[in-house]
Amino acid sequence: MSIINESMTSKEMLNILVAKNMEDARKAKERGDLVCWSSSIAPCEFCEAMGIYTVYPENHVVGIAARKGAPELLEYAERKGYSNDICGYARANLAYMDVQKCVSEELPLPDLVLLCNNICETLLKWYENIAYELNIPLLIVDVPYNHDKEITEENIQYVEAQFHDIIHQLEVICNKPFDEKKFQEVMKVSAQNAKDWYDATMLCSARPSPLSGFDMFNYMALIVCMRGKKECGMTFRKLKEELEEKISRGECGLKNAEEKYRIMWDGIACWPYLSHTYKVLKKHGINMTGSTYPSAWALEYTPGNLFEMAKAYTGMGNNLSLEGQINLRKSIIEETQCDGVIMHMNRSCKMCDFLQYEVGKELNDSLNIPITTFDGDQADPRNYSKAQYETRMEALVEMMSENIPSRNSSGN
C-alpha cells in the first residue's frame, strides 16, 4: 500500500517520499540488508531489481550544504589531506563517511557502491576511495566521452557489455540469481518516471512559467533518489496537474512577484546560498525557466532493450561534445523562451566549467542573448560572494532590458 495518495499535493508527496527513502535505507541497514551508495545518474534499475536499498551521496551533501552544515565536513576532509580543489560533494561525503554525523538526515554506510562517470570523472576516484576504505565492492559503468556529433555504436556496445557485467557482479554480491522479471518491471517504471519528470518540468516553457527553477531543484531530489519506484511518477504527474492549473489561471512561479525576465541557469545550484541566489533574481523579476536538469534524467529507452538503455546513459548532457553541449543549450533557451543566461562558475565542477566560455560565446553570437557568470560552489560556501552575485545580476538585467526589444524585432 502506498504511503501517498491523490488527495495530497505534490509537495506533500515529495516530502514524505524523500524522508521515507532514507528511513527505509537506515532500517534495511539495521536488518542486515544491502545498502548501496550510487552516483546520481547511474543505472538504478539493476540494484532496484535485486532489492538493494540505494541512497545518493550527492543528494545527501545537498541537504547538508543547504542547511549550512558543509564547512565542518569540508575542513575535516582537508585536515585529512584532501585538497580544497577537489569537488565539495566528494570532500563532504568522504568526511561524513568517517564522522557519520551531520546537520541533515543520517546516511547509512554502504555495503557496495555503484558509479557511472557519465556526469563527472571525479566520481571514479571518489568512489574508489570509499570502496577501498570500507573494503566493499565497487561497481563501475565506464562511459566514454562522445567526441563526435553522434554517439557511436561502439561506445554504446561498450556500455551495454558492462551492464551484463553488473548483473553478474550483483548475482555474486547478493548470492542469488538476477531477478529478470523484476528488472523488466523496474525498467518500465524508471522509463515512465523519466518521462513524467520531463513533462512536468518542461511546463516552464509557458509564459509566465508556473514553476520557478528553484522549486524544480526541490523536486529533483525525487528523480535522483527514487527513479525506480512508482511513487516517483505519481508525484510528477500530480505536479504536472498543479502546474497546468496554474497556467490556466496565468499564475507565475515566482512567489508574489511578476515575471519580467526569463533566464537559463547553467550549472548546479549554489546550495549554501540557495535562498540568496533566488531572492536576488526574484527582486528583479527574473524567473529561471531554462535548465539542463529536465533533460538530465529524461532517459528514454524501450523497457527490455539494454542497447537503448546504454545509449540513454551514454548520451548524458555532460558527456556530449562541445557542439552537442551548445546545441542542447540552444534548444533549452528556445523552448523555454529565455532572455538571458546565468552561468555558475562552480569551483567543484572545473571540467564542466572549462567549456562555459566557448559555450557562452557561441550562444551569445548565434542567439543574440546576454550572458553573465558568477563564482560559486555547489557545497563550499567559501567560494561565493554575495556582492559579486548581486552586481552581476544587475548587469544582466540591464543587458536584457536593452536587448529584448531588438531580439523581438529580429525574431530571435
Side-chain angles (χ1 to χ4, degrees), residues 356-379:
Q356 284 186 324
Y357 174 78
E358 284 80 7
V359 171
K361 187 174 185 308
E362 174 58 26
L363 294 179
N364 181 259
D365 291 345
S366 60
L367 298 180
N368 183 29
I369 191 166
I371 292 168
T372 193
T373 65
F374 73 96
D375 298 301
D377 195 282
Q378 60 202 27

CSV table of all heavy atoms in Angstrom, one decimal, residues 356-379:
chain,number,residue,atom,x,y,z
A,356,GLN,N,32.5,26.5,-20.5
A,356,GLN,CA,31.5,27.5,-20.4
A,356,GLN,C,31.8,28.7,-21.2
A,356,GLN,O,30.9,29.4,-21.8
A,356,GLN,CB,31.2,27.9,-19.0
A,356,GLN,CG,30.4,26.9,-18.2
A,356,GLN,CD,29.9,27.3,-16.8
A,356,GLN,OE1,30.7,28.0,-16.1
A,356,GLN,NE2,28.8,26.9,-16.4
A,357,TYR,N,33.1,29.1,-21.3
A,357,TYR,CA,33.4,30.3,-22.1
A,357,TYR,C,33.0,30.1,-23.6
A,357,TYR,O,32.4,30.9,-24.2
A,357,TYR,CB,34.9,30.6,-22.0
A,357,TYR,CG,35.3,31.7,-23.0
A,357,TYR,CD1,35.1,33.1,-22.7
A,357,TYR,CD2,36.0,31.4,-24.2
A,357,TYR,CE1,35.4,34.1,-23.5
A,357,TYR,CE2,36.3,32.5,-25.1
A,357,TYR,CZ,36.0,33.8,-24.7
A,357,TYR,OH,36.4,34.8,-25.6
A,358,GLU,N,33.4,28.9,-24.2
A,358,GLU,CA,33.1,28.6,-25.6
A,358,GLU,C,31.6,28.4,-25.8
A,358,GLU,O,31.1,28.9,-26.8
A,358,GLU,CB,33.8,27.3,-26.0
A,358,GLU,CG,35.3,27.5,-26.3
A,358,GLU,CD,36.1,27.4,-25.0
A,358,GLU,OE1,35.6,27.1,-23.9
A,358,GLU,OE2,37.4,27.7,-25.1
A,359,VAL,N,31.0,27.8,-24.8
A,359,VAL,CA,29.5,27.6,-24.9
A,359,VAL,C,28.8,29.0,-24.9
A,359,VAL,O,28.0,29.3,-25.7
A,359,VAL,CB,29.0,26.7,-23.8
A,359,VAL,CG1,27.5,26.7,-23.8
A,359,VAL,CG2,29.5,25.3,-24.0
A,360,GLY,N,29.2,29.8,-23.9
A,360,GLY,CA,28.6,31.1,-23.8
A,360,GLY,C,28.8,32.0,-25.0
A,360,GLY,O,27.9,32.7,-25.4
A,361,LYS,N,30.0,32.0,-25.5
A,361,LYS,CA,30.3,32.8,-26.7
A,361,LYS,C,29.5,32.4,-27.9
A,361,LYS,O,28.9,33.3,-28.6
A,361,LYS,CB,31.8,32.7,-27.1
A,361,LYS,CG,32.3,33.7,-28.2
A,361,LYS,CD,33.8,33.6,-28.4
A,361,LYS,CE,34.2,34.6,-29.4
A,361,LYS,NZ,33.5,34.6,-30.6
A,362,GLU,N,29.3,31.1,-28.1
A,362,GLU,CA,28.5,30.7,-29.2
A,362,GLU,C,27.0,31.0,-29.0
A,362,GLU,O,26.3,31.4,-30.0
A,362,GLU,CB,28.7,29.2,-29.4
A,362,GLU,CG,27.8,28.6,-30.5
A,362,GLU,CD,27.9,29.2,-31.9
A,362,GLU,OE1,29.0,29.7,-32.2
A,362,GLU,OE2,27.0,29.1,-32.7
A,363,LEU,N,26.5,30.9,-27.8
A,363,LEU,CA,25.1,31.2,-27.5
A,363,LEU,C,24.9,32.7,-27.7
A,363,LEU,O,23.9,33.1,-28.3
A,363,LEU,CB,24.8,30.8,-26.1
A,363,LEU,CG,24.8,29.3,-25.7
A,363,LEU,CD1,24.4,29.1,-24.3
A,363,LEU,CD2,23.8,28.5,-26.6
A,364,ASN,N,25.8,33.5,-27.3
A,364,ASN,CA,25.7,34.9,-27.4
A,364,ASN,C,25.7,35.3,-28.9
A,364,ASN,O,24.9,36.2,-29.3
A,364,ASN,CB,26.9,35.6,-26.7
A,364,ASN,CG,26.8,37.1,-26.7
A,364,ASN,OD1,27.5,37.8,-27.5
A,364,ASN,ND2,25.9,37.7,-25.9
A,365,ASP,N,26.7,34.8,-29.7
A,365,ASP,CA,26.8,35.1,-31.1
A,365,ASP,C,25.6,34.7,-31.9
A,365,ASP,O,25.1,35.4,-32.8
A,365,ASP,CB,28.1,34.5,-31.7
A,365,ASP,CG,29.3,35.1,-31.1
A,365,ASP,OD1,29.2,36.2,-30.5
A,365,ASP,OD2,30.4,34.5,-31.2
A,366,SER,N,25.2,33.4,-31.7
A,366,SER,CA,24.1,32.8,-32.6
A,366,SER,C,22.7,33.2,-32.1
A,366,SER,O,21.8,33.3,-33.0
A,366,SER,CB,24.3,31.3,-32.6
A,366,SER,OG,24.1,30.8,-31.3
A,367,LEU,N,22.5,33.4,-30.8
A,367,LEU,CA,21.1,33.7,-30.4
A,367,LEU,C,20.9,35.2,-30.0
A,367,LEU,O,19.8,35.6,-29.6
A,367,LEU,CB,20.8,32.8,-29.2
A,367,LEU,CG,20.8,31.3,-29.5
A,367,LEU,CD1,20.4,30.5,-28.2
A,367,LEU,CD2,19.8,30.9,-30.6
A,368,ASN,N,22.0,35.9,-30.0
A,368,ASN,CA,22.0,37.3,-29.5
A,368,ASN,C,21.4,37.4,-28.1
A,368,ASN,O,20.4,38.2,-27.9
A,368,ASN,CB,21.2,38.2,-30.5
A,368,ASN,CG,21.1,39.7,-30.2
A,368,ASN,OD1,22.1,40.1,-29.5
A,368,ASN,ND2,20.1,40.3,-30.5
A,369,ILE,N,21.9,36.7,-27.2
A,369,ILE,CA,21.4,36.6,-25.9
A,369,ILE,C,22.5,37.0,-24.9
A,369,ILE,O,23.6,36.5,-25.0
A,369,ILE,CB,20.8,35.2,-25.6
A,369,ILE,CG1,20.0,35.2,-24.3
A,369,ILE,CG2,21.9,34.1,-25.5
A,369,ILE,CD1,19.1,33.9,-24.1
A,370,PRO,N,22.2,37.9,-23.9
A,370,PRO,CA,23.2,38.3,-22.9
A,370,PRO,C,23.5,37.1,-21.9
A,370,PRO,O,22.6,36.4,-21.6
A,370,PRO,CB,22.6,39.5,-22.3
A,370,PRO,CG,21.1,39.3,-22.4
A,370,PRO,CD,20.9,38.6,-23.7
A,371,ILE,N,24.7,37.1,-21.5
A,371,ILE,CA,25.2,36.1,-20.6
A,371,ILE,C,26.0,36.7,-19.5
A,371,ILE,O,26.8,37.6,-19.7
A,371,ILE,CB,26.0,35.0,-21.3
A,371,ILE,CG1,25.2,34.2,-22.3
A,371,ILE,CG2,26.7,34.1,-20.4
A,371,ILE,CD1,25.9,33.4,-23.3
A,372,THR,N,25.8,36.2,-18.3
A,372,THR,CA,26.7,36.6,-17.2
A,372,THR,C,27.1,35.4,-16.4
A,372,THR,O,26.5,34.3,-16.5
A,372,THR,CB,25.9,37.6,-16.2
A,372,THR,OG1,26.9,38.2,-15.3
A,372,THR,CG2,24.9,36.9,-15.3
A,373,THR,N,28.2,35.5,-15.7
A,373,THR,CA,28.7,34.4,-14.9
A,373,THR,C,28.9,34.9,-13.4
A,373,THR,O,28.9,36.1,-13.1
A,373,THR,CB,30.1,34.0,-15.4
A,373,THR,OG1,31.1,35.0,-15.2
A,373,THR,CG2,30.1,33.6,-16.8
A,374,PHE,N,29.0,34.0,-12.5
A,374,PHE,CA,29.4,34.3,-11.1
A,374,PHE,C,30.2,33.1,-10.6
A,374,PHE,O,30.0,32.0,-11.0
A,374,PHE,CB,28.1,34.6,-10.3
A,374,PHE,CG,27.3,33.4,-9.9
A,374,PHE,CD1,27.5,32.8,-8.7
A,374,PHE,CD2,26.3,32.9,-10.7
A,374,PHE,CE1,26.7,31.7,-8.3
A,374,PHE,CE2,25.5,31.8,-10.4
A,374,PHE,CZ,25.8,31.2,-9.2
A,375,ASP,N,31.0,33.4,-9.6
A,375,ASP,CA,31.8,32.4,-9.0
A,375,ASP,C,31.1,31.8,-7.8
A,375,ASP,O,30.5,32.6,-7.0
A,375,ASP,CB,33.2,33.0,-8.5
A,375,ASP,CG,34.0,33.5,-9.7
A,375,ASP,OD1,34.3,32.7,-10.5
A,375,ASP,OD2,34.3,34.7,-9.7
A,376,GLY,N,31.1,30.5,-7.7
A,376,GLY,CA,30.5,29.9,-6.5
A,376,GLY,C,30.9,28.4,-6.4
A,376,GLY,O,31.9,28.0,-7.0
A,377,ASP,N,30.1,27.7,-5.6
A,377,ASP,CA,30.4,26.3,-5.4
A,377,ASP,C,29.1,25.6,-5.0
A,377,ASP,O,28.3,26.2,-4.3
A,377,ASP,CB,31.5,26.1,-4.3
A,377,ASP,CG,32.1,24.7,-4.3
A,377,ASP,OD1,31.4,23.8,-3.8
A,377,ASP,OD2,33.2,24.6,-4.8
A,378,GLN,N,29.0,24.3,-5.3
A,378,GLN,CA,27.8,23.6,-5.0
A,378,GLN,C,27.7,23.2,-3.5
A,378,GLN,O,26.6,22.9,-3.0
A,378,GLN,CB,27.7,22.3,-5.9
A,378,GLN,CG,28.9,21.4,-5.6
A,378,GLN,CD,29.1,20.4,-6.8
A,378,GLN,OE1,28.8,20.7,-7.9
A,378,GLN,NE2,29.7,19.3,-6.5
A,379,ALA,N,28.8,23.3,-2.8
A,379,ALA,CA,28.8,22.9,-1.4
A,379,ALA,C,29.7,23.7,-0.5
A,379,ALA,O,29.4,23.9,0.7
A,379,ALA,CB,29.3,21.4,-1.3
